[in-house]
Amino acid sequence: MKKTVGIVLAMICLSIGMVHSQTQEGVQYIDTIMEYRPAPGQFINTSPGLPENAQSLKGGINGLVTLGYFGGYLIAGFDEPISNHPDNPYGVDFTVFGNGYTGSSEPGIVMVMKDENANGKPDDTWYELRGSDHFLSSSIKGYEITFTNPNGYLEVPWSDNMGGTGVVNINSFHQQSYYPSQENFPDIDPTSYMLSGTKLKDKTFQAGMWINSVFDYGYADNRPMKSGQAHDVPDNPYTLDTQEGCGGDAFDISWAVDADGKAVELDEISFVKIYTGVAANAGSIGEVSTEIRGIAAVAPDASITGPTDVIVTNHPPFLPQFSSVREYEWPQGESFEFEAYVVSKGQLNANQTIGWESNNPEIASISASGVLTGHEAGEVEITATWQADNTISRQFTINITPTTSSGSLSDIEAIKVFPNPFSDYISVSGSNRATVSLFNTAGIKVMEKMILSEQERINLADMPRGLYLVRIETDNRVTTTKLLKQ
């Protein structure tokens, strides 16, 4: 659900989503809900996490349903196929409307299927639509997560196929079981069940309030819809923070790839599957979960044009003890390697030459290959420009932090990670309950684990030797520091 200053705002946004329900003449919407299989979450077994909420999406932008934690999904069908039409604006073929708004983007990965055997059932081949982060190494393909029923209003434990474990957090505002009940979801095993897909690197952090930062493009529940606009006139996904048309999240069937990541050509699709693409909690107020309000097909209109080239990148991690939601943070004396690609209409452009520039090299320099090195504490602006067309660029404001610590001294003294350096295991002192996240020097989260005791050891024997950033999040503070594996 939406995580900002509290549950009151979340419920207001849910109400707004319902008030603006509408159907527009001549627009093709969802005709059938084929399947709704949510992951555990704070609204599962209560509205908007019930089967009837999924059914409310039919025939317009008429309702709201939540998909829960990573992998929870919905399959929608259409009475007529959605065409991959060459005259559709920006190549976009349909728009998914979620409940996203500034500071709360909860990305859902979208898959499509053509009814090749013409039986009206989603039993052919699913193809993933490549969103912006598909090209980044931080996205994990073939991720599997298994949830275990705790039998009651308790944190839902999970384990994954990479050796990781964790929980879906509970909160005091929703005190039903977060695991799908047999009464509401008789097809879900009452003991445990597995969900799978591509897992994105989450962009959830705390900066006075919980923030789910926006992804570039290509994910459901990522950007807000625009009220009063025609649902079949799409946003241009490649202009990023500029919204055209109806807003929401626009999708091009030509982004489709098979299980091996190879592009496929589809002339039409009859089914859309959407699942939550991150595995993340937002502190004490619950999980990050994709919400859906509806889907609308796009009307062909060759007169609507716009740029279709964009640079997609990774970025340094948000360090949550800083209040700015627009800036990134990176420690002085360390290097960060940007990973950047030029994408044209959702496909990698043959010309990948990107230039890099720092507006203050004394604070932080950046190499021709995009390696940032912080030299002094301060703020720096980094610009990436496509050399084939200098109107295509990205800018990043980065706060280079002092080497002494990335949190307050009192926090560092209160919560410690030891041993440091380490070989196989680390432990945390100063808290009996904390979420420990480990980032490599590329800014990629490589481990997250909930600990419930100071005596609990975290096994990092399989991690490569080198420098890491470790973030320890408790109920009332966050500490970030460097950690060396020998």
Side-chain angles (χ1 to χ4, degrees), residues 2 4 6 41 67 108 110-111 115 119 130 160 174 184 200 202 213 217 247 252 289 291 317 325 342 366 407 459 471:
K2 301 300 169 195
T4 54
L67 304 183
V110 174
M111 305 185 77
D115 190 10
N119 67 354
R130 288 185 295 196
D160 64 25
H174 303 281
N184 294 313
L200 306 173
D202 71 81
S213 188
Y217 72 86
D252 185 348
S289 58
E291 278 99 42
V325 301
V342 178
I366 190 159
N459 186 349
R471 185 176 76 192

Side-chain angles (χ1 to χ4, degrees), residues 396-447:
F396 302 88
T397 301
I398 301 173
N399 195 333
I400 303 299
T401 60
T403 55
T404 52
S405 72
S406 53
S408 69
L409 181 61
S410 61
D411 282 354
I412 296 295
E413 292 175 343
I415 300 177
K416 295 182 179 180
V417 181
F418 64 95
N420 188 9
F422 73 98
S423 296
D424 295 322
Y425 296 87
I426 61 170
S427 297
V428 176
S429 66
S431 177
N432 282 326
R433 178 187 174 88
T435 298
V436 180
S437 301
L438 200 68
F439 297 85
N440 64 20
T441 54
I444 298 171
K445 185 190 293 183
V446 294
M447 186 279 301

Side-chain angles (χ1 to χ4, degrees), residues 233-466:
V233 179
D235 174 47
N236 184 347
Y238 309 109
T239 54
L240 302 186
D241 293 333
T242 300
Q243 272 198 319
E244 304 88 356
C246 58
D249 298 294
F251 293 88
D252 185 348
I253 294 171
S254 295
W255 297 345
V257 293
D258 64 17
D260 296 322
K262 297 179 181 178
V264 297
E265 294 184 8
L266 299 171
D267 59 343
E268 64 183 29
I269 56 102
S270 292
F271 307 103
V272 171
K273 177 180 179 179
I274 305 171
Y275 63 90
T276 300
V278 296
N281 289 299
S284 61
I285 56 173
E287 82 292 341
V288 178
S289 58
T290 301
E291 278 99 42
I292 304 300
R293 297 181 59 193
I295 300 174
V298 166
D301 188 341
S303 70
I304 302 177
T305 61
T308 54
D309 302 307
V310 68
I311 298 174
V312 299
T313 74
N314 64 342
H315 53 69
F318 289 103
L319 298 186
Q321 64 269 30
F322 292 91
S323 61
S324 173
V325 301
R326 295 183 180 274
E327 296 185 356
Y328 304 89
E329 309 290 342
W330 194 249
Q332 176 184 342
E334 305 298 338
S335 294
F336 172 82
E337 185 174 358
F338 276 94
E339 187 179 355
Y341 302 93
V342 178
V343 176
S344 299
K345 272 200 167 182
Q347 314 293 331
L348 287 178
N349 192 286
N351 184 345
Q352 287 290 318
T353 305
I354 297 173
W356 295 91
E357 183 180 1
S358 167
N359 74 334
N360 195 334
E362 293 184 359
I363 292 178
S365 59
I366 190 159
S367 72
S369 60
V371 177
L372 170 78
T373 303
H375 304 299
E376 299 179 4
E379 188 175 274
V380 64
E381 188 172 273
I382 300 299
T383 302
T385 303
W386 187 26
Q387 299 301 279
D389 182 351
N390 61 15
T391 66
I392 307 300
S393 65
R394 296 288 300 273
Q395 292 183 328
F396 302 88
T397 301
I398 301 173
N399 195 333
I400 303 299
T401 60
T403 55
T404 52
S405 72
S406 53
S408 69
L409 181 61
S410 61
D411 282 354
I412 296 295
E413 292 175 343
I415 300 177
K416 295 182 179 180
V417 181
F418 64 95
N420 188 9
F422 73 98
S423 296
D424 295 322
Y425 296 87
I426 61 170
S427 297
V428 176
S429 66
S431 177
N432 282 326
R433 178 187 174 88
T435 298
V436 180
S437 301
L438 200 68
F439 297 85
N440 64 20
T441 54
I444 298 171
K445 185 190 293 183
V446 294
M447 186 279 301
E448 181 176 282
K449 181 176 176 62
M450 171 73 76
I451 61 170
L452 302 176
S453 167
E454 286 191 81
Q455 286 72 45
E456 186 172 350
R457 297 198 304 171
I458 301 174
N459 186 349
L460 299 177
D462 294 333
M463 292 290 178
R465 294 179 181 179

Side-chain angles (χ1 to χ4, degrees), residues 1 3 37-44 66-73 107 143 145-147 156-159 165-169 178 193 195 199 202 275-282 286-291 435 445 448:
M1 219 37 251
K3 317 298 188 307
R37 189 177 181 87
Q42 64 179 320
F43 284 96
I44 304 306
T66 184
L67 304 183
Y69 203 73
F70 173 83
Y73 67 84
Y143 185 75
I145 189 168
T146 299
F147 301 99
V156 181
W158 57 258
S159 60
T165 59
V167 297
V168 180
N169 283 355
Y178 288 19
Y193 68 116
L195 296 170
K199 186 170 84 69
D202 71 81
Y275 63 90
T276 300
V278 296
N281 289 299
E287 82 292 341
V288 178
S289 58
T290 301
E291 278 99 42
T435 298
K445 185 190 293 183
E448 181 176 282

Side-chain angles (χ1 to χ4, degrees), residues 22-31 57-62 76-83 88-89 92-98 110 225 229-235 246-253 269 272 274 292-300:
Q22 54 186 301
T23 299
Q24 294 175 356
E25 186 176 353
V27 179
Q28 183 181 5
Y29 299 104
I30 294 171
D31 177 69
L57 306 188
K58 295 186 296 186
I61 313 303
N62 291 326
F78 301 86
D79 58 353
E80 295 291 337
I82 295 177
S83 172
N88 282 353
V92 169
D93 302 303
F94 63 92
T95 300
V96 178
F97 298 99
V110 174
M225 71 178 294
Q229 304 295 315
H231 296 157
D232 57 357
V233 179
D235 174 47
C246 58
D249 298 294
F251 293 88
D252 185 348
I253 294 171
I269 56 102
V272 171
I274 305 171
I292 304 300
R293 297 181 59 193
I295 300 174
V298 166

Side-chain angles (χ1 to χ4, degrees), residues 136-254:
L136 304 181
S137 60
S138 56
S139 296
I140 301 172
K141 315 302 191 292
Y143 185 75
E144 298 177 352
I145 189 168
T146 299
F147 301 99
T148 300
N149 192 348
N151 296 308
Y153 167 56
L154 298 164
E155 291 178 331
V156 181
W158 57 258
S159 60
D160 64 25
N161 60 340
M162 302 181 67
T165 59
V167 297
V168 180
N169 283 355
I170 58 174
N171 59 58
S172 61
F173 300 101
H174 303 281
Q175 299 188 9
Q176 82 287 351
S177 172
Y178 288 19
Y179 188 97
S181 70
Q182 282 287 281
E183 177 183 1
N184 294 313
F185 302 95
D187 294 333
I188 293 180
D189 190 294
T191 302
S192 66
Y193 68 116
M194 187 268 285
L195 296 170
S196 63
T198 297
K199 186 170 84 69
L200 306 173
K201 178 182 182 293
D202 71 81
K203 299 183 180 181
T204 297
F205 66 102
Q206 190 177 20
M209 58 184 179
W210 283 96
I211 301 294
N212 297 316
S213 188
V214 69
F215 286 65
D216 284 350
Y217 72 86
Y219 303 103
D221 199 21
N222 186 45
R223 295 182 183 274
M225 71 178 294
K226 292 168 66 177
S227 61
Q229 304 295 315
H231 296 157
D232 57 357
V233 179
D235 174 47
N236 184 347
Y238 309 109
T239 54
L240 302 186
D241 293 333
T242 300
Q243 272 198 319
E244 304 88 356
C246 58
D249 298 294
F251 293 88
D252 185 348
I253 294 171
S254 295

